Amino acid sequence: MSETLHIDWTRCDGRGLCTELLPTLLDRDDWGYPLAKRATNGDRSNVAVRPAHSEAAREAVHLCPKMALSLANQVAGFGQ
Amino acid sequence: MDNALWAFGRVSGIISLVLFTGTVLVGVLARSGRPLLVVPRFSVTLIHRNIALLATAFLVLHVGSLLLDSYAKLNVTDVVVPFLGAFRPFWQGLGTVAFDLVLAVVVTSLLRHRIGPRTFRAVHWFTYAMWPIALAHAIGNGTNGTSRWFLLLAAGSAAVVVGALAWRVSANFLETAKTRQGGLL
Ligand code: HEM
Ligand code: SF4
């Protein structure tokens, strides 16, 4: 089982805190918005988070100034 | 003892004001989305929160020590209800207003994940009102308020805060401003 980090792009303002905290999981586009480096079912707003990155992901959820991130326990492979 | 409390009350007020000035400056920087030289963005946000909490702690000490001393003639009502004080009620009342605003800002900030971004932002705007109110309170009410060194400190602080505000409303404030203005090029 792994966790999924969900980016709510309607809330996100591309401030880049999450891309600093999770550089191996997220890319930052030219406008500052985060994108999953590896898409989950073609969707770059959901990011699979392995236990090694769980702590950093939690920090990103907590520190995002727009409260645009959420972390859910999810069985990998199934959609939202 | 009374004298010591009174002196401590004044010093803690000044420390708190300086720390709130820092809080506003780092808050504006956090809002810009820019890192500070080698300090990453998430650290800027944490620094903002921690200076704010430290400033608030000194504010509580400031009010608490003056509540206990006998010079300032404060009572518990003056801590929350403005303009009823015995000594310079207007200037002291400004301090009470600033204190109430700080409480509202800190509580909504710490609970921002529960109350959501809208309420958090709406209350956070009051920080821009709170800072000049606190400064006016310090000048008008403080024993040191109109001494030369304090006025110099106040003028210097006001200059940097006004500078930060000018930057805040400028077109290139956001780190990503240039790209976003450029449309889809
Ligand atoms: C626990 C305390 C606090 C926390 C957790 C906190 C958190 C934040 C966050 C996350 C931002 C960035 C908002 C964004 O990027 O959209 C911010 C901005 C800001 N904060 Fe705070 N804050 C706290 C207390 C304070 C206090 C006490 C002051 C006043 C002295 C203050 C002044 C500011 C200012 C001026 C901004 C920039 C607002 C803007 O122009 O949009 N903060 N704060
Ligand atoms: S920290 Fe939040 S606002 Fe900033 S880029 Fe990430 S999701 Fe968007």
Side-chain angles (χ1 to χ4, degrees), chain A residues 11-21 28-33 59-69, chain B residues 30-33 35 39-43 45-46 49 112-113 116-117 120-121 174-176 179-180 183-185:
Chain A
R11 279 190 171 185
C12 170
D13 192 31
R15 302 283 181 70
L17 278 78
C18 55
T19 33
E20 279 177 333
L21 285 163
R28 199 172 183 215
D29 75 7
D30 291 343
W31 291 269
Y33 293 95
E59 215 136 286
V61 170
H62 184 65
L63 289 178
C64 169
K66 292 293 180 180
M67 291 157 256
L69 299 172
Chain B
R31 179 64 182 81
S32 81
V39 181
R41 297 169 184 84
F42 58 86
S43 304
T45 300
L46 281 172
R49 186 196 68 188
R112 70 191 189 285
H113 285 276
F120 162 69
R121 290 297 298 156
L174 287 181
E175 183 194 26
T176 46
T179 340
R180 293 185 189 182
L184 292 173
L185 278 177

Side-chain angles (χ1 to χ4, degrees), chain B residues 133-145:
Chain B
I133 291 173
L135 184 69
H137 157 74
I139 294 172
N141 209 35
T143 306
N144 303 114

Side-chain angles (χ1 to χ4, degrees), chain A residues 13 15 17 63-67, chain B residues 19-33 45 48-53 55-56 101-102 105-110 112 120-121 124-128 130-131 165 168 173:
Chain A
D13 192 31
R15 302 283 181 70
L17 278 78
L63 289 178
C64 169
K66 292 293 180 180
M67 291 157 256
Chain B
L19 290 171
F20 276 120
T21 306
T23 306
V24 169
L25 298 178
V26 182
V28 170
L29 177 66
R31 179 64 182 81
S32 81
T45 300
H48 171 63
R49 186 196 68 188
N50 291 346
I51 301 183
L53 292 177
T56 307
L101 289 177
V102 166
V105 167
V106 169
V107 169
T108 53
S109 298
L110 294 177
R112 70 191 189 285
F120 162 69
R121 290 297 298 156
H124 231 73
W125 283 118
F126 282 102
T127 54
Y128 288 118
M130 167 266 163
W131 188 85
L165 270 180
R168 172 75 176 91
F173 174 68

Side-chain angles (χ1 to χ4, degrees), chain B residues 145 147-158:
Chain B
S147 57
R148 197 181 141 76
W149 68 267
F150 189 79
L151 288 177
L152 280 174
L153 175 74
S157 307

